[in-house]
Amino acid sequence: MARAAIILATLLLAGCAGNQSPLDPAGDQACALHRLLVLMTVVCGAVYALVLSGVAWSLWRARRRMASGGDDKPLDRGLWMTAGAIVVALSVLIVGSFVADRALVATRDDPALLVRVTGHQWWWRIEYRDPGTDRWIETANELHLPIGRTTRVALGSADVIHSFWVPNVAGKIDMIPGRRNQIDVTPRRAGWFRGQCAEFCGTQHAHMALDVRVDAPADFDRWLATQARPAAPQAQAVFAQRCAACHRVRGTQAAGRAGPDLTHVAARRSIAAGTLPMTRGALQGWIQQPQALKPGTSMPAVPLSAAEALAVADYVGTLR
Ligand code: HEC
Ligand SMILES: [Cu+2]
């Protein structure tokens, strides 16, 4: 019995840490939410305990009075004190949630970095405004953020309502077609985190995850500079014929916009919005049977011979 309790407690507490958890905040906005969560838990826990002990106490008194055949007073002081305590507790919660809300909205006039994230069924288009040139640099499915700089994330959707949720970094915010929502994020700790679309957006909603990498500013700048570069010049005939209509590879003729920008796809951690790891085998599998691996995805199974599929996968694997 005791052992079962220990195992259960370990499992429950293990859920608190992790790369997709609001209980392990790694940024200012997530910290504000975490503080609010702790405040609410403590205050509501105290109210709960207070109410239950009040009920127990009045039951006990009522029984004693009945036993002694005494008079009943309708209201006693304890009840009034409980009511007062509850009013105070609720006021604390109101103030706490107001303060947290202020910390979350995008208020800074001078975000260090602008990023546009657009939800698609079922992947993320990500564009960075290059601070040097003011050009937009496009990538997909992997969001990189610098530590200690405030990044403004502008959120939109190309089709249905999605929701941006990277709990270690910030709260949840909807991505609505025809509308731009925005949040500021200020990460404080390096690492890999996981985001997940948090609004049901179709059959592959669960396969709409987002890898998030937080780095020291210098590492981030290096990454962004690499992303800004065109692909290494390596013409790939099959890709140009069969894939270029939907995918862009900057620096080549491939200029499609229906699918993710693949200029540096091989440098990402996973493919198809967190559905598969970025390995040679997974790339091959994805290119040959996207519909089997992510049924309903907007990428069709392109008819390719086995040799062509291998060649394309190898080419895509070089797009670092
Ligand atoms: C009709 C448009 C279309 C064609 C043609 C197409 N793709 Fe795609 N591709 C997509 C879409 C849309 C996605 C995003 C799918 C998802 O995650 O649900 C995608 C995703 C991918 C990804 C994963 C990208 C990432 O960021 O995770 C790779 C790699 C890829 N395609 C390679 C190819 C190759 C190679 C070909 C040619 C053999 C090809 N695609 C043909 C539309 C297309
Ligand atoms: Cu979604």
Side-chain angles (χ1 to χ4, degrees), residues 232-297:
Q234 246 160 331
Q236 220 301 333
V238 182
F239 187 92
Q241 263 177 25
R242 305 293 181 76
C243 321
C246 293
H247 291 290
R248 184 161 67 171
V249 179
R250 281 173 275 132
T252 75
Q253 302 286 340
R257 298 275 295 151
D261 185 301
L262 298 183
T263 312
H264 299 285
V265 65
R268 301 205 260 276
R269 209 158 96 111
S270 63
I271 41 182
T275 306
L276 299 165
M278 175 60 73
T279 62
R280 189 161 177 265
L283 263 178
Q284 259 173 45
W286 172 256
I287 290 167
Q288 286 180 290
Q289 1 194 294
Q291 294 296 327
L293 296 165
K294 193 169 175 180
T297 172

Side-chain angles (χ1 to χ4, degrees), residues 75-113:
L75 274 180
D76 55 26
R77 220 155 26 117
L79 193 59
W80 284 113
M81 275 167 60
T82 313
I86 289 172
V87 169
V88 171
L90 291 181
S91 312
V92 169
L93 289 189
I94 290 173
V95 173
S97 63
F98 179 79
V99 169
D101 189 58
R102 292 294 91 190
L104 291 185
V105 286
T107 46
R108 287 181 60 134
D109 305 327
D110 56 339
L113 186 67

Side-chain angles (χ1 to χ4, degrees), residues 21 39 46-47 52 58 89-90 107 113 121 156 175 189 205 216 232-233 241 284 286 301:
S21 168
L39 181 75
V47 169
L52 282 195
S58 26
L90 291 181
T107 46
L113 186 67
Q121 282 173 315
M175 310 169 81
R189 174 151 53 85
H205 161 67
Q241 263 177 25
Q284 259 173 45
W286 172 256

Side-chain angles (χ1 to χ4, degrees), residues 11-18 21-24:
L11 286 177
L12 287 176
L13 288 174
C16 296
S21 168
L23 300 179
D24 186 17

Side-chain angles (χ1 to χ4, degrees), residues 120-122 124 160-163 197-201 205 208:
H120 290 253
Q121 282 173 315
W122 293 280
W124 315 80
V160 299
I161 301 180
H162 302 269
S163 179
C197 177
E199 177 79 39
F200 181 75
C201 57
H205 161 67
M208 187 167 164

Side-chain angles (χ1 to χ4, degrees), residues 113-170:
L113 186 67
L114 286 175
V115 184
R116 283 201 297 237
V117 179
T118 310
H120 290 253
Q121 282 173 315
W122 293 280
W123 58 281
W124 315 80
R125 189 188 298 279
I126 302 176
E127 294 154 296
Y128 287 85
R129 168 85 147 272
D130 186 346
T133 62
D134 273 1
R135 279 188 315 135
W136 289 91
I137 303 167
E138 182 170 335
T139 171
N141 292 334
E142 194 172 291
L143 181 66
H144 285 237
L145 296 169
I147 294 179
R149 287 191 197 153
T150 297
T151 301
R152 177 150 306 160
V153 185
L155 300 153
S157 168
D159 36 49
V160 299
I161 301 180
H162 302 269
S163 179
F164 178 86
W165 186 51
V166 188
N168 298 73
V169 174

